[in-house]
Every structure is written in C-alpha cells, then in structure tokens.
C-alpha cells in the first residue's frame, strides 16, 4: 500500500472533521429537542436536592463565564444547568435556556423548592436561567462574575423575574416541614 499524497491526507482529515461534527451535532440535537427530561430514577426531598446543589455550587464556584461553554473551564447559564442536573441528579435537560424554559412544569415563585429552575429576562431578547437553592438563593453563571450564588431578593433579579420550572420529582421532607424554602422565600421576598 503506497503513501497517500498530501492533498489526499488533507481531504481525508477534512472529511473526518466534518463527519465528526455532523455526528456530534445529531446526537446533541436529539437530546435537546425533548419537551421534558427523562424521569430520574427516584424522587428527591428538598433537603437532599439542596445538599447536592450546595456541593455542586462549591465545585463550580468562580468558574468563568463562557458563551456556549459546558465545563469548569468556562460555562454559560444553560450549560451550567445542564451539567449540574446530569451530574447531580442523572437528569438530562435541553441545552438552551429557551428549551429549558419549556421543560418540566411551571411553579409559582411562592412555591420554589431546591432544584427548581428560575428564569429571568435581563434584556429585551435575552433570557437567563439559574437553579434555586433555598432561602431566596440560586446558583447561576453570571456573565460578569462567572458561576456564583445570588439572591432573588435583590432588586435586579426581582425586576427581571420571568418564571420557574420544576424538573425534579420531589418527595416529602418532614425535617423541613416547618421551615420550608417556600415559606422562607414567600415571607422574606414578598412573593
């Protein structure tokens, strides 16, 4: 078998690269077209979900913002949501904020639980998503600060509130019945 000429090797390289992009694009789009994520293997109590999310927040803390990013080298808001849900709950969620806003079921602000997705409209056409923790706090990838925890009580977030969605099946949590995140958020945030 003889050597492949330089132009032939270049053509083969380009073909393999383009083919790889097409294959990865197909597998990526198949995951993100679903209106709701596959059911996780179990239900989560608010305390379990919050514990996992706080641990994830510590691991992701200060990861820089990168539009289109999905790793701890750089991540955007919807990429963070997708990565955290995959890692912590084995739940696949769509990749974009727009698709995530149509996933799960709508939740009133006064009934937020750990793991609920919180959505904002910072600008006319933009959308932003984070993951509710508890007591008005949520985890998100800020374009100015990277991955951080912010508070819904801040005027900035209150004025830009859009909606919340629940993706995780929630089990009863008797340990927090008297001081649930719902009551804390509704009484202190004014929702």
């Amino acid at each position: 078998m003889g050597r492949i000429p330089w132009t032939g090797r270049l053509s083969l390289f380009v073909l393999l690269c383009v083919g790889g992009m097409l294959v990865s694009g197909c597998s990526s789009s198949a995951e993100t077209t679903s209106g709701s994520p596959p059911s996780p293997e179990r239900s989560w109590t608010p305390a379990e979900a919050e514990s996992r999310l706080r641990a994830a927040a510590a691991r992701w803390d200060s990861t820089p913002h990168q539009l289109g990013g999905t790793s701890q080298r750089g991540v955007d808001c919807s990429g963070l949501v997708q990565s955290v849900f995959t890692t912590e709950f084995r739940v696949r969620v769509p990749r974009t904020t727009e698709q995530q806003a149509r996933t799960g079921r709508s939740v009133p602000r006064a009934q937020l639980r750990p793991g609920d997705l919180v959505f904002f409209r910072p600008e006319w056409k933009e959308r932003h998503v984070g993951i509710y923790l508890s007591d008005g706090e949520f985890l998100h990838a800020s374009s100015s600060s990277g991955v951080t925890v912010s508070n819904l009580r801040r005027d900035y977030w209150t004025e830009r509130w859009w909606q919340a969605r629940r993706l995780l099946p929630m089990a009863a949590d008797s340990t927090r019945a008297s001081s649930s995140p719902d009551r804390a958020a509704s009484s202190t945030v004014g929702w």
Side-chain angles (χ1 to χ4, degrees), residues 15-164:
L15 180 63
L16 290 173
C17 288
V18 169
M21 288 188 291
L22 290 174
V23 169
S24 68
C26 291
S27 65
S28 171
S29 64
E31 264 188 323
T32 60
T33 57
S34 172
S36 61
S39 297
E41 297 174 12
R42 57 174 288 213
S43 295
W44 300 90
T45 66
E48 291 171 325
E50 181 182 355
S51 176
R52 286 180 165 270
L53 291 167
R54 297 262 180 205
R59 284 191 304 277
W60 283 87
D61 186 45
S62 299
T63 297
H65 181 271
Q66 178 184 350
L67 190 59
T70 58
S71 74
Q72 290 182 316
R73 291 186 305 265
V75 68
D76 63 17
C77 63
S78 59
L80 176 67
V81 167
Q82 185 182 51
S83 296
V84 168
F85 268 76
T86 299
T87 303
E88 299 303 321
F89 304 109
R90 295 184 184 161
V91 172
R92 289 187 342 213
V93 297
R95 173 62 183 92
T96 69
T97 305
E98 179 184 346
Q99 293 165 329
Q100 290 172 2
R102 294 189 306 254
T103 302
R105 68 177 179 87
S106 180
V107 178
R109 288 183 279 195
Q111 295 177 11
L112 289 174
R113 297 275 178 130
D116 288 346
L117 301 186
V118 290
F119 294 89
F120 306 91
R121 291 181 173 159
E123 300 296 329
W124 181 67
K125 287 188 175 184
E126 288 182 28
R127 301 295 182 258
H128 185 68
V129 63
I131 306 169
Y132 187 73
L133 300 172
S134 68
D135 300 320
E137 293 183 323
F138 68 101
L139 174 66
H140 66 116
S142 161
S143 59
S144 59
S145 304
V147 176
T148 189
V149 172
S150 295
N151 199 302
L152 293 172
R153 295 178 188 108
R154 290 194 53 224
D155 289 342
Y156 179 86
W157 298 113
T158 301
E159 293 166 5
R160 289 159 178 81
W161 176 263
W162 177 25
Q163 68 169 328

Side-chain angles (χ1 to χ4, degrees), residues 3-12:
R3 283 182 46 120
I4 299 173
W6 182 85
T7 55
R9 288 187 302 227
L10 179 61
S11 297
L12 182 59

